[in-house]
Amino acid sequence: MTEPSPCTELDRIRENVASGERLTIGDAELLFHPEVDLHAIGELADQVRRRKNGDVVYYNINAHLNPTNVCVYRCPLCAYSCDADDPKAYVMTRDDVLARGEEAARNGCTELHIVGGVHPEKPYGWYLGLIRTLHEAYPRLHLKAWTAVEIAWFSQISGRSVEAVLGELIEAGLGSLPGGGAEIFDPEVRRQISPRKIDAPTWLDVHRTAHRLGLRSNATMLYGHVETAAHRVDHLIRLRELQDETGGFQAFIPLSFHPEGTQFAHLPRPSGLDDLRTMAASRLILDNFDHVKAYWISLGIGTAQTALAYGADDLDGTVRHEKIHHDAGSTAPEHLSVDELRALIAEAGRRPIERDTLYRRVERNGAEWRSLGS
């Protein structure tokens, strides 16, 4: 008896998607099969996007803050981090941090996205104080801060539990967690790309704990290096399982690997077609995630805009001062204006809606704004 062809199997998946039936691991792996038509997968993902979000595409007015690039982990995949004695090393002062917060508030940002290196000499109180300082000075800014990698480090160096650390950060003004540091969950892949970083169960447990405490968070997957399609599927299924358990993830962001400046500089970047296939497959597999984001810094503007027809319903935001992807060779601009974001969304045939970090719609008059339903 002959095996069904990928095209025949796609017809079955199409029926499952139409009826709202969850895709199996086998179905998920098929989506990454090169013989399966990319545009057919994109059409299915677009159906799911429309079912969940209509013709709305979200954006936000945000800025990034990377307090230091000195990092204890020095992952082979990272072009941003460095040792303390490196000429490019920096640590932002309290005044630097406050100036960045002031700039964000002055420009009407609703969110400050805070991630950076894990500095081996900075105590937990330095990170906690940074959140408290910003929140006290600019209480309207939503502080989306510290990846699970950083939270686990704070727990390690302070002797406190992850739950205690998160509780203290919440009290200081933390609003939600970003999704970075997930990379690829498979342990063999992690040993190659980030051998000293926390393992997948620890990453997942930090987010599980955050969700239990009422924090929302995002999730990511860094693809296009040494992983296989099966590794991508495993990663996505683990995220889906945790979302079944907690419901605390807001958005999934597939991150296209930029090899320049890393120990994997010999590898080519993922192609635009791979980016779109990964976007569409993610939208179909993660049936319990409300939002899938086309992060234009990672994908490039053209691919991010195209991804709005392949399952994405969010284009991220204005993104001032992003360093991590640009250090790895991102050729995207360092900032987009609101008019540019809205034009990209409208050109793709979608309706642009400004959101805050928690996906509440924002009503705005210049730099003045309010979240509806808050």
Side-chain angles (χ1 to χ4, degrees):
M1 184 175 180
T2 59
E3 291 289 325
S5 70
C7 293
T8 302
E9 288 294 282
L10 183 60
D11 288 338
R12 179 183 54 76
I13 290 174
R14 186 178 287 109
E15 293 174 1
N16 291 346
V17 170
S19 63
E21 186 174 333
R22 171 164 281 186
L23 301 189
T24 66
I25 292 175
D27 295 337
E29 290 180 346
L30 184 76
L31 298 176
F32 287 99
H33 197 292
E35 290 185 22
V36 176
D37 183 66
L38 166 62
H39 306 299
I41 296 172
E43 183 180 7
L44 289 177
D46 196 52
Q47 290 177 23
V48 174
R49 175 205 58 78
R50 191 179 306 114
R51 188 186 304 159
K52 287 180 175 289
N53 295 290
D55 280 332
V56 165
V57 167
Y58 295 98
Y59 68 92
N60 71 334
I61 300 183
N62 64 339
H64 281 221
L65 173 64
N66 308 125
T68 181
N69 61 351
V70 178
C71 189
V72 68
Y73 291 121
R74 305 291 285 114
C75 297
L77 61 76
C78 184
Y80 168 73
S81 68
C82 62
D83 295 322
D85 58 356
D86 192 300
K88 74 170 188 176
Y90 73 88
V91 178
M92 295 178 73
T93 66
R94 182 178 184 275
D95 287 345
D96 294 333
V97 167
L98 284 170
R100 188 64 56 80
E102 192 278 331
E103 179 190 11
R106 184 179 68 249
N107 285 280
C109 291
T110 61
E111 171 191 291
L112 199 56
H113 178 116
I114 308 170
V115 298
V118 177
H119 197 299
E121 297 176 6
K122 292 296 181 184
Y124 164 57
W126 184 75
Y127 298 92
L128 179 65
L130 188 151
I131 297 298
R132 180 171 285 114
T133 295
L134 280 167
H135 182 64
E136 289 176 352
Y138 306 103
R140 296 202 70 208
L141 275 178
H142 180 105
L143 304 181
K144 184 174 74 178
W146 312 133
T147 67
V149 176
E150 290 157 306
I151 298 295
W153 175 256
F154 303 161
S155 174
Q156 178 182 330
I157 62 175
S158 69
R160 293 167 169 84
S161 67
V162 165
E163 182 170 355
V165 165
L166 287 169
E168 289 177 327
L169 287 167
I170 292 168
E171 185 275 331
L174 180 68
S176 63
L177 296 190
E183 321 309 4
I184 288 288
F185 286 149
D186 179 82
E188 290 301 321
V189 173
R190 290 183 90 79
R191 270 192 275 274
Q192 296 179 64
I193 64 174
S194 53
R196 301 174 65 190
K197 194 175 282 185
I198 60 171
D199 60 14
T202 304
W203 189 97
L204 291 164
D205 196 55
V206 169
H207 284 264
R208 178 182 290 109
T209 304
H211 298 167
R212 188 171 68 246
L213 295 177
L215 285 176
R216 306 301 301 276
S217 69
N218 290 338
T220 62
M221 176 177 72
L222 183 70
Y223 65 89
H225 37 84
V226 301
E227 89 290 353
T228 66
H231 294 139
R232 297 184 193 184
V233 169
D234 169 70
H235 187 101
L236 293 166
I237 295 296
R238 293 201 216 189
L239 290 175
R240 190 173 75 178
E241 290 173 347
L242 182 55
Q243 182 73 333
D244 278 343
E245 179 185 336
T246 70
F249 287 120
Q250 295 199 113
F252 172 71
I253 307 102
L255 298 173
S256 183
F257 180 56
H258 290 251
E260 185 177 322
T262 76
Q263 294 182 34
F264 298 98
H266 58 285
L267 296 177
R269 289 188 185 182
S271 68
L273 296 180
D274 190 15
D275 290 333
L276 294 175
R277 185 179 293 273
T278 303
M279 183 69 65
S282 299
R283 176 63 285 175
L284 291 167
I285 296 164
L286 297 176
D287 53 22
N288 52 5
F289 276 65
D290 288 336
H291 306 286
V292 175
K293 186 182 295 186
Y295 184 40
W296 58 266
I297 291 281
S298 171
L299 296 173
I301 290 174
T303 301
Q305 185 186 38
T306 305
L308 300 181
Y310 285 75
D313 67 283
D314 191 311
L315 208 55
D316 201 85
T318 48
V319 193
R320 294 170 176 268
H321 302 295
E322 195 282 333
K323 291 181 176 291
I324 295 171
H325 284 273
H326 283 98
D327 279 0
S330 172
T331 57
E334 293 194 4
H335 173 263
L336 283 180
S337 70
V338 171
D339 287 345
E340 288 169 323
L341 282 168
R342 292 181 66 89
L344 288 168
I345 294 167
E347 189 179 40
R350 304 284 185 259
R351 185 160 57 96
I353 295 291
E354 183 184 348
R355 62 165 176 85
D356 67 8
T357 308
L358 302 178
Y359 281 87
R360 298 171 300 198
R361 296 190 181 195
V362 169
E363 187 177 80
R364 177 175 294 277
N365 181 17
E368 298 298 318
W369 58 272
R370 69 185 185 100
S371 295
L372 303 180
S374 61

